[in-house]
Amino acid sequence: MKIQRLIYYMLLTVLIASCQKTSNEVQIKDVDPLPSWNEGASKSAILNFVQSVTDSTSASFVDVEDRIAVFDNDGTLWSEQPMYFQLAFALDQIKKMAPNNPEWKETEPFKSVLNNDIASVMQQGEGALIQIVLATHGGMTADAFEANVVEWMKAAKHPRFNRPYTDLIYQPMLEVLKYLRANDFKTFIVSGGGIGFMRPVTNLLYGIPAEQVMGSMMKVEYDKENKVINRYPELAFIDDKSGKPVGIYNFIGKKPIAAFGNSDGDLQMLEWTSTNENSFMMFVHHTDAEREWAYDSLSHIGRLKEGFGVATTSGWTIADMKKDWKVVYPFELDK
Amino acid sequence: MKIQRLIYYMLLTVLIASCQKTSNEVQIKDVDPLPSWNEGASKSAILNFVQSVTDSTSASFVDVEDRIAVFDNDGTLWSEQPMYFQLAFALDQIKKMAPNNPEWKETEPFKSVLNNDIASVMQQGEGALIQIVLATHGGMTADAFEANVVEWMKAAKHPRFNRPYTDLIYQPMLEVLKYLRANDFKTFIVSGGGIGFMRPVTNLLYGIPAEQVMGSMMKVEYDKENKVINRYPELAFIDDKSGKPVGIYNFIGKKPIAAFGNSDGDLQMLEWTSTNENSFMMFVHHTDAEREWAYDSLSHIGRLKEGFGVATTSGWTIADMKKDWKVVYPFELDK
């Protein structure tokens, strides 16, 4: 009887273990993959799209190798107000580099930057901004630039929230990224921002490794003697508007089946994606002045209206921040 | 007693199943990951390197996200004789396109191509070859070009082996690719060849998806009206020599820890990789005239000697085809 009881308990243990496994699996399936999205058309559209392209019995099924999803960064994965974070970085770098560039005290646009007269910098137009970007993003090794970016990301605080800029990423979009990857999508960033500025942090912030980050590029050259990559103060590629499909073709070599953007700069990427039979296009609409910002156009990013117009007339999915998002930033979850 | 016996058999089944699992695991561990490599210094060097960077207790341990391995293609993953396969494609395309370009009958270098006078084409130098490449790789949509490549890959036969060119991939290198990936490496192609020529076949041949293939690039533009990518007869980026570290920086954003090449065009990529503390550099040496080819320099690919010289003086691993490889091509395994 003793042995029988032992055998009975052993069997029971095995059975319980196997039951637990099944119960876990069911549980995982029942968990909402997008908990920060309010129920509604936008959330349903994402869920339905992923379900249809991953269902091997569906006519819309897409092979794993073609499950490519591309995301703009500024205004789509993190905020872009009151200015592009990369521009805030560049302005801070000008101040840091000023001691070695005494002539900047008397030369625009640097003079205005050093005097904290940002309004005047902005008034000097795009040319002035490009001058600031070139001076702070070139003329150094790739390693030195990366160190500057990492240092700034750690120390700088966003003026409105008094938190690191990297705290201002969108919780609902993090859930979309994770949900897509759980369904064997490969997620890429395709941003007008610089690759060297984003790559040091994208894996930590979004789970997107450096090699899946496309963006605008400075001219770089390999120094054979010192075996280092040098960055030059010259733009080599602008990953914006029609540049985005070009960047995707060159870097990925596949037309995405899902694209997420929020501005005119993303329009061509979304339109190109839409020529794929089974595709999903989402336009993030900044409608929440209280938790984020509400805007349809802004000086430093140009007009957004064309993109939003095409998005609505084409029936793309609109993510209305105010209506669709339960929370905007991850730190709201801690409250 | 009946129930007892039943319980006994059930338990036995469970035990056998669990034992089988253990035995399978042991078996997998004991299988040689590089069966086409002869025992020797080169094979040991690969195995030791992978073991050291994946052993979490070792000082040489490398995080999974930094396990980047880059491979040249021509002469490193597939053969490059009697001419680059991409050049063979271009010559065939000239013939295919000739009816729509009647003036080629009287214009060099096209005239010599149409007369099958390849010696004369080669004598006309690099400029002539570039003319042939531009005429056949540009002036069409990306989709049309891809269709041309796929059609050619299916139909064309290598003159020496009378087999598809894609049969001439190196079995020992396929094993290295697989072995690295099994150890959480991400494998990339970094080739002087064109991305559009390689990407349609790399996943099938090497298990390397299009988005992990870097190469030389033609100028491409996005046509907003027709929502297509157009290729232009203009070189935009040459992924060779110092271009390889530049390409890796722009596409991957990480310095590789393993690099595989076979020519002077790979030298800078290997040298840059070697500046990583825990890194592995391999130079494939073409020493087997019987099964493949034996050469240290060749007209259409320039000198290889500088790269081989640096490889030997730097103590990089040499893959001597004749000595180190049991088989060269996968089709030899079928014999």
Side-chain angles (χ1 to χ4, degrees):
Chain A
M1 276 300 280
K2 253 190 172 171
I3 285 178
Q4 254 184 322
R5 193 172 292 163
L6 181 69
I7 289 171
Y8 172 77
Y9 280 120
M10 283 175 78
L11 256 186
L12 204 67
T13 310
V14 170
L15 283 170
I16 287 170
S18 85
C19 286
Q20 277 179 330
K21 201 182 162 201
T22 313
S23 132
N24 275 344
E25 276 165 1
V26 171
Q27 230 177 311
I28 285 166
K29 238 186 169 173
D30 286 347
V31 162
D32 179 356
L34 304 174
S36 298
W37 289 75
N38 287 314
E39 299 305 320
S42 302
K43 178 173 180 170
S44 297
I46 306 171
L47 295 171
N48 290 340
F49 165 72
V50 172
Q51 204 162 17
S52 77
V53 296
T54 57
D55 174 2
S56 59
T57 66
S58 153
S60 324
F61 179 75
V62 175
D63 286 333
V64 166
E65 64 174 306
D66 292 322
R67 292 185 200 159
I68 302 290
V70 291
F71 292 79
D72 169 56
N73 188 36
D74 298 301
T76 300
L77 293 180
W78 71 17
S79 289
E80 57 185 354
Q81 297 280 11
M83 65 176 76
Y84 286 144
F85 295 177
Q86 190 170 357
L87 184 55
F89 161 75
L91 296 175
D92 284 349
Q93 290 301 106
I94 291 290
K95 291 173 193 167
K96 188 181 141 190
M97 293 164 74
N100 292 322
N101 297 272
E103 73 282 7
W104 284 356
K105 275 184 195 159
E106 305 305 329
T107 329
E108 289 295 356
F110 308 105
K111 188 180 164 184
S112 295
V113 177
L114 297 177
N115 292 333
N116 282 315
D117 186 357
I118 305 306
S120 158
V121 175
M122 294 299 181
Q123 273 165 16
Q124 292 173 53
E126 200 181 50
L129 297 182
I130 288 175
Q131 253 188 290
I132 289 165
V133 168
L134 295 185
T136 54
H137 287 62
M140 65 199 83
T141 65
D143 290 341
F145 180 72
E146 184 175 331
N148 287 344
V149 171
V150 170
E151 185 187 276
W152 183 83
M153 293 275 189
K154 277 183 191 161
K157 293 275 169 72
H158 188 280
R160 173 171 161 191
F161 292 94
N162 195 33
R163 290 174 165 275
Y165 282 84
T166 49
D167 278 7
L168 304 195
I169 55 181
Y170 303 137
Q171 175 63 27
M173 297 305 285
L174 296 183
E175 292 167 7
V176 170
L177 286 166
K178 208 172 156 187
Y179 175 52
L180 289 173
R181 288 193 294 259
N183 283 280
D184 296 324
F185 277 75
K186 214 162 174 176
T187 53
F188 290 83
I189 288 176
V190 181
S191 170
I195 47 167
F197 181 71
M198 298 180 284
R199 282 176 169 168
V201 292
T202 53
N203 204 21
L204 194 69
L205 296 182
Y206 308 126
I208 298 179
E211 62 270 23
Q212 286 163 224
V213 177
M214 248 165 295
S216 295
M217 301 191 296
M218 303 290 283
K219 182 184 167 189
V220 302
E221 279 183 4
Y222 178 65
D223 172 350
K224 282 199 281 190
E225 298 312 313
N226 298 304
K227 301 186 177 68
V228 293
I229 299 282
N230 285 320
R231 296 171 62 96
Y232 291 86
E234 190 183 321
L235 279 166
F237 177 66
I238 300 179
D239 195 34
D240 197 39
K241 297 187 190 277
S242 288
K244 291 205 176 193
V246 167
I248 294 169
Y249 177 73
N250 282 336
F251 278 69
I252 308 181
K254 293 168 184 169
K255 197 192 292 177
I257 63 165
F260 301 76
N262 81 307
S263 83
D264 293 355
D266 307 314
L267 182 54
Q268 286 73 29
M269 170 171 88
L270 273 77
E271 283 187 322
W272 191 48
T273 301
S274 76
T275 63
N276 252 333
E277 215 176 326
N278 304 304
S279 53
F280 179 81
M281 284 65 61
M282 173 173 274
F283 205 86
V284 175
H285 197 203
H286 297 265
T287 52
D288 196 327
E290 207 175 307
R291 297 183 299 175
E292 208 245 5
W293 283 270
Y295 56 98
D296 276 320
S297 70
L298 204 83
S299 57
H300 78 275
I301 38 176
R303 296 182 62 246
L304 306 177
K305 281 183 180 166
E306 188 193 355
F308 184 67
V310 174
T312 44
T313 55
S314 305
W316 298 343
T317 301
I318 308 290
D320 181 318
M321 283 195 173
K322 192 168 183 176
K323 203 182 89 193
D324 290 318
W325 290 3
K326 278 185 201 162
V327 296
V328 174
Y329 301 123
F331 59 76
E332 296 169 24
L333 296 170
D334 303 333
K335 280 175 187 166
Chain B
M1 277 300 280
K2 253 189 173 173
I3 285 179
Q4 251 184 324
R5 195 170 294 163
L6 182 68
I7 289 171
Y8 173 77
Y9 281 120
M10 283 175 77
L11 255 188
L12 204 66
T13 311
V14 169
L15 281 171
I16 287 169
S18 85
C19 286
Q20 276 179 329
K21 201 184 162 201
T22 313
S23 134
N24 275 345
E25 276 165 1
V26 171
Q27 231 177 312
I28 285 165
K29 239 188 171 171
D30 286 347
V31 162
D32 180 356
L34 304 173
S36 298
W37 289 75
N38 288 314
E39 298 305 319
S42 302
K43 179 173 181 171
S44 297
I46 306 171
L47 296 171
N48 290 339
F49 165 71
V50 172
Q51 204 162 17
S52 76
V53 296
T54 56
D55 173 1
S56 60
T57 67
S58 154
S60 324
F61 179 75
V62 174
D63 285 334
V64 166
E65 65 174 305
D66 292 322
R67 292 187 200 158
I68 302 291
V70 292
F71 292 79
D72 170 55
N73 188 37
D74 298 301
T76 301
L77 293 179
W78 72 17
S79 289
E80 57 185 354
Q81 298 278 12
M83 64 176 75
Y84 285 144
F85 294 178
Q86 190 170 357
L87 184 55
F89 161 76
L91 296 175
D92 284 350
Q93 290 301 106
I94 292 289
K95 292 173 192 166
K96 188 181 143 191
M97 294 164 73
N100 292 323
N101 297 273
E103 74 283 7
W104 284 354
K105 275 185 196 158
E106 307 304 330
T107 328
E108 290 294 358
F110 309 105
K111 188 180 165 187
S112 294
V113 176
L114 298 177
N115 292 333
N116 282 315
D117 186 357
I118 305 307
S120 158
V121 175
M122 294 300 179
Q123 273 164 15
Q124 292 172 53
E126 200 181 51
L129 297 182
I130 289 175
Q131 253 188 291
I132 289 166
V133 168
L134 295 184
T136 54
H137 287 62
M140 63 199 83
T141 66
D143 290 341
F145 180 72
E146 184 174 332
N148 288 345
V149 170
V150 170
E151 185 187 274
W152 183 84
M153 293 275 190
K154 277 184 191 160
K157 293 276 169 71
H158 187 280
R160 173 172 161 189
F161 292 93
N162 196 33
R163 290 173 165 276
Y165 283 85
T166 49
D167 278 7
L168 304 195
I169 55 181
Y170 303 137
Q171 175 64 27
M173 296 306 285
L174 297 182
E175 293 167 7
V176 170
L177 285 166
K178 209 173 158 187
Y179 175 51
L180 289 174
R181 288 193 295 259
N183 283 280
D184 297 324
F185 276 74
K186 214 162 175 176
T187 54
F188 290 84
I189 288 175
V190 181
S191 170
I195 49 169
F197 181 71
M198 298 180 284
R199 282 176 169 167
V201 293
T202 53
N203 204 21
L204 195 68
L205 297 183
Y206 309 126
I208 298 180
E211 62 270 23
Q212 286 163 224
V213 177
M214 247 165 295
S216 295
M217 302 192 295
M218 304 290 284
K219 182 185 167 188
V220 302
E221 279 184 3
Y222 178 65
D223 172 351
K224 283 200 282 190
E225 299 312 312
N226 298 303
K227 301 187 177 67
V228 293
I229 299 282
N230 285 320
R231 296 170 62 96
Y232 291 85
E234 191 183 322
L235 279 166
F237 177 66
I238 300 180
D239 195 34
D240 198 38
K241 297 185 190 274
S242 288
K244 291 204 175 193
V246 167
I248 294 169
Y249 176 73
N250 283 334
F251 278 69
I252 307 181
K254 293 169 185 169
K255 196 192 293 177
I257 63 164
F260 301 76
N262 81 308
S263 84
D264 293 355
D266 307 314
L267 182 55
Q268 286 72 30
M269 169 172 88
L270 273 78
E271 283 187 321
W272 190 48
T273 300
S274 76
T275 64
N276 251 332
E277 214 176 327
N278 303 305
S279 53
F280 180 82
M281 284 65 61
M282 175 174 272
F283 204 86
V284 175
H285 197 202
H286 297 266
T287 52
D288 196 327
E290 207 176 306
R291 298 183 299 177
E292 209 245 3
W293 284 269
Y295 56 97
D296 277 318
S297 69
L298 205 83
S299 57
H300 78 276
I301 38 176
R303 295 181 64 245
L304 305 177
K305 282 183 181 166
E306 189 194 354
F308 184 66
V310 175
T312 44
T313 55
S314 306
W316 298 343
T317 301
I318 308 291
D320 181 319
M321 285 195 172
K322 192 169 183 176
K323 202 183 90 193
D324 289 318
W325 290 3
K326 278 185 200 161
V327 296
V328 174
Y329 301 124
F331 59 77
E332 296 170 25
L333 296 170
D334 304 333
K335 281 177 186 167

